[in-house]
């Protein structure tokens, strides 16, 4: 076992504590802790400006955001989705009473393969729930074209896609709604938190009602809403985190470049394209451990862990292999050959703003050594 301190796949980014104290003092002075308080309003406004989007509705976490997005669009029946994601993506469908229909992913981006969507559409299909996996954009134009042809809703699980650009626009403006996660492990965190990016004030209003038990005013409840509200302490942290996001993204970009350069000559290791410079957020650093690498993916994973380096096999096992999904016809591995193969080869290497260059080199040395 290595004597060096362990390295984890990620570490939350936190601003200096001294900078947060005045925010806490303001909360203590005002004694407004939640229910759309002043920090909530300020954070929503600042987030819209930073992300260059029209409206956002803040949430307690991304999962409640996903369920609420489905509710807000009144999604029923079957929903086409990816097996290659964090389990919350498909779980949100079960919580909304939908039947997930799994469609395979593209080998280069590991996002939903738009070319395979049409074959999975039935008379029961009402929506597509796609994931910008690792922050890599889905083929948003192809997905929208199919949705328009078949009158389907499009929801993006953008839990990994904070700040990602698509050409000159925010990636988050695509589809009917995009759902962000501000969980501790994400590029941008509010400890726990999330948001729905909304195209109009009308849909934001409905979402704001749904996340507040369905209340529209003091005495009127119009829907079986839930408690999805973000608390003031989380909103205040978000406001402060926005001041540091440029540094956090720049450091991620530098680490990404260092890994790519160092791993270029390592036979059997393929780095996945992060997207054009200036558009990506480098939320993860996924590599594929191919058959021409001397060890299997799991043997490399074990070897690294034995030396105190903790990569993660996101996303293995596939969502479609979990007990609540595996009996669905679309969950059969024969229907998902690319996702099945990728889940066997994937390894996400440590990446976070406070990861030092020497630590990146230590990770690379373990992969490059025979
Ligand atoms: C792809 C994806 N979707 C949804 C979620 C759920 O977000 P949260 O943890 O904020 O509920 C996560 C991560 O946690 C995720 O990685």
């Amino acid at each position: 076992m290595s004597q060096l301190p362990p390295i984890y796949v990620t570490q939350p980014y936190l601003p200096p504590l001294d900078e947060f104290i005045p925010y806490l003092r303001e909360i203590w002075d005002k004694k407004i802790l939640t229910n759309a308080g002043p920090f909530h309003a300020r954070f929503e406004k600042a987030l819209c400006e930073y992300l260059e989007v029209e409206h956002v509705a803040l949430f307690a976490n991304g999962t409640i955001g996903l369920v609420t997005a489905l509710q807000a669009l009144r999604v029923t029946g079957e929903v086409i989705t990816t097996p290659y994601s964090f389990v919350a993506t498909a779980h949100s469908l079960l919580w909304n009473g939908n039947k997930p229909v799994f469609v395979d992913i593209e080998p280069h981006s590991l996002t939903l393969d738009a070319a395979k969507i049409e074959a999975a559409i039935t008379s029961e299909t009402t929506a597509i729930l796609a994931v910008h996996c690792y922050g890599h954009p889905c083929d948003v134009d192809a997905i929208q074209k199919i949705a328009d042809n078949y009158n389907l809703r499009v929801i993006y699980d953008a839990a990994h896609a904070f700040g990602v650009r698509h050409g000159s626009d925010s990636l988050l403006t695509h589809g009917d709604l995009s759902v962000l996660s501000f969980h501790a492990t994400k590029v941008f965190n509010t400890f726990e938190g999330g948001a729905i990016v909304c195209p109009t004030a009308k849909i934001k209003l409905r979402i704001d009602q749904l996340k507040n038990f369905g209340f529209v005013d003091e005495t009127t409840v119009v829907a079986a809403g839930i408690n999805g509200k973000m608390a003031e302490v989380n909103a205040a942290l978000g406001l402060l985190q926005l001041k540091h996001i440029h540094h956090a993204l720049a450091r991620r970009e530098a680490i990404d470049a260092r890994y790519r350069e160092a791993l270029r000559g390592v036979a059997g290791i393929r780095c996945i394209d992060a997207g054009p410079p200036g558009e990506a957020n480098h939320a993860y650093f996924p590599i594929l451990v191919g058959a021409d690498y001397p060890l299997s993916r799991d043997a490399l994973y074990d070897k690294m862990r034995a030396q105190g380096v903790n990569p993660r096999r996101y996303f293995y096992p596939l969502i479609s292999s979990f007990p609540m999904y595996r009996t669905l016809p679309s969950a059969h591995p024969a229907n998902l050959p690319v996702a099945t193969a990728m889940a066997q080869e994937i390894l996400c290497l440590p990446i976070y703003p406070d990861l030092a260059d020497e630590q990146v080199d230590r990770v690379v040395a373990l992969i490059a050594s025979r």
Side-chain angles (χ1 to χ4, degrees):
M1 186 66 178
S2 165
Q3 296 308 305
L4 294 165
I7 301 174
Y8 296 98
V9 72
T10 193
Q11 193 181 74
Y13 183 80
L14 286 173
L17 182 58
D18 287 352
E19 291 184 22
F20 195 40
I21 300 296
Y23 292 69
L24 291 176
R25 192 159 291 125
E26 204 173 319
I27 293 172
W28 257 247
D29 287 348
K30 289 205 170 90
K31 295 194 167 46
I32 302 174
L33 306 187
T34 186
N35 287 18
F39 276 115
H40 189 278
R42 282 169 65 189
F43 181 38
E44 278 196 348
K45 186 163 177 288
L47 205 50
C48 284
E49 280 163 16
Y50 176 75
L51 296 174
E52 294 181 22
V53 299
E54 287 293 318
H55 306 276
V56 299
L58 296 174
F59 272 80
N61 59 63
T63 305
I64 300 278
L66 282 170
V67 178
T68 305
L70 293 162
Q71 296 247 320
L73 296 174
R74 298 182 169 84
V75 171
T76 58
E78 296 180 5
V79 178
I80 288 173
T81 193
T82 169
Y84 192 87
S85 180
F86 183 62
V87 72
T89 307
H91 277 2
S92 70
L93 296 173
L94 294 194
W95 275 88
N96 193 47
N98 299 122
K99 178 179 173 189
V101 175
F102 295 110
V103 164
D104 209 1
I105 56 170
E106 298 176 345
H108 59 278
S109 71
L110 309 194
T111 63
L112 198 60
D113 189 342
K116 294 183 180 158
I117 291 177
E118 264 185 287
I121 296 174
T122 72
S123 57
E124 302 296 305
T125 312
T126 65
I128 300 169
L129 174 57
V131 180
H132 299 305
C133 190
Y134 308 130
H136 302 165
C138 294
D139 188 344
V140 288
D141 297 330
I143 290 174
Q144 194 58 54
K145 214 165 160 191
I146 296 164
D148 291 344
N149 280 344
Y150 290 87
N151 192 25
L152 305 178
R153 300 296 205 161
V154 180
I155 296 172
Y156 284 108
D157 179 338
H160 303 169
F162 186 88
V164 176
R165 314 282 306 172
H166 186 62
S168 56
D169 297 329
S170 165
L171 178 63
L172 305 171
T173 57
H174 291 271
D176 291 289
L177 295 171
S178 293
V179 183
L180 291 160
S181 165
F182 305 149
H183 182 256
T185 55
K186 300 297 188 276
V187 161
F188 177 90
N189 85 79
T190 57
F191 299 158
E192 290 266 8
I196 303 182
V197 177
C198 318
T200 64
K202 188 173 171 212
I203 186 89
K204 172 173 158 56
L205 180 65
R206 175 156 171 82
I207 288 168
D208 283 343
Q209 291 164 355
L210 284 171
K211 78 176 189 193
N212 188 29
F213 312 96
F215 276 105
V216 294
D217 60 34
E218 200 183 325
T219 52
T220 318
V221 176
V222 292
I226 197 156
N227 183 357
K229 293 173 274 110
M230 177 180 276
E232 284 291 274
V233 70
N234 304 97
L237 180 65
L239 204 54
L240 178 56
Q241 292 280 48
L242 278 180
K243 297 189 182 192
H244 294 265
I245 186 68
H246 289 292
H247 157 72
L249 290 174
R251 183 63 199 138
R252 283 180 176 277
E253 189 176 9
I255 293 168
D256 183 293
R258 195 173 182 92
Y259 270 134
R260 263 172 224 282
E261 179 62 26
L263 291 169
R264 206 199 305 244
V266 182
I269 298 295
R270 176 159 83 82
C271 300
I272 298 174
D273 191 13
E279 294 187 15
N281 68 0
H282 309 285
Y284 296 82
F285 195 85
I287 61 168
L288 295 169
V289 184
D292 45 340
Y293 186 77
L295 300 176
S296 69
R297 185 275 311 272
D298 286 346
L300 174 60
Y301 173 75
D302 290 342
K303 172 180 148 178
M304 293 175 80
R305 281 165 56 97
Q307 295 300 319
V309 174
N310 296 271
R312 291 293 299 267
R313 292 169 291 184
Y314 301 137
F315 287 97
Y316 161 86
L318 293 179
I319 298 177
S320 46
S321 70
F322 291 127
M324 60 299 292
Y325 301 106
R326 64 176 164 231
T327 55
L328 292 168
S330 66
H332 198 282
N335 184 49
L336 308 166
V338 177
T340 303
M342 296 298 145
Q344 294 302 324
E345 293 191 6
I346 198 74
L347 201 58
C348 286
L349 303 184
I351 186 164
Y352 51 89
D354 293 330
L355 189 69
D357 284 349
E358 306 76 66
Q359 291 177 301
V360 174
D361 297 345
R362 185 177 147 205
V363 175
V364 171
L366 278 171
I367 300 170
S369 69
R370 297 286 146 127

